[in-house]
Amino acid sequence: MDDDPAGRREYNKLKRDLFNDVEEEANKKLLKIKGCKGIEDLFSISDFKKFIIENKSADLGEFSNAEYLSENHISKGVLALRFKLSVENGKLKFADLTKVSQDNIMELVKKIETLLN
């Protein structure tokens, strides 16, 4: 889950409803992406501009990637679908991403893998 107010609320609701409010048990099955207000924040700013919003000249100012989408009322779902299709069609490969984005994604995948084991 994102580490924003909505993500934290949902985490706490699931923790309460599924794990009797026991943090240790919830952490075995639920994953908060710490420091990410949205999944988009896993990407470096340059990758976000190039591969997510497809606007290299966008000025994010002080906003995080996720905040930029929210402030500009850009649909996360539409961007996610376009991103998915770019990957499926071979237009975008993992190697095309910056090391920052690659490292962030790999760290998340490892955390997910740990939860699945």
Side-chain angles (χ1 to χ4, degrees), residues 51-103:
F51 300 117
I52 306 300
I53 61 173
E54 298 175 354
N55 180 356
K56 293 180 191 177
S57 64
D59 181 11
L60 274 61
E62 298 295 316
F63 293 125
S64 70
N65 298 342
E67 290 169 333
Y68 178 84
L69 296 181
S70 178
E71 287 292 318
N72 289 282
H73 308 289
I74 299 172
S75 170
K76 293 172 73 166
V78 169
L79 294 178
L81 177 60
R82 283 195 336 218
F83 183 83
K84 177 185 180 287
L85 292 173
S86 290
V87 172
E88 285 179 348
N89 295 331
K91 291 181 186 176
L92 175 60
K93 295 180 176 46
F94 189 69
D96 296 331
L97 300 172
T98 61
K99 180 163 175 24
V100 169
S101 297
Q102 288 179 8
D103 289 349

Side-chain angles (χ1 to χ4, degrees), residues 3 89 115:
D3 192 14
N89 295 331
L115 290 177

Side-chain angles (χ1 to χ4, degrees), residues 9 18 22 28 32 37 46 50 68 80 95 99 107 115:
R9 273 192 308 276
L18 299 176
V22 178
K28 291 178 185 176
K32 289 186 281 186
K37 294 178 181 175
S46 61
K50 184 175 182 181
Y68 178 84
K99 180 163 175 24
E107 182 180 333
L115 290 177

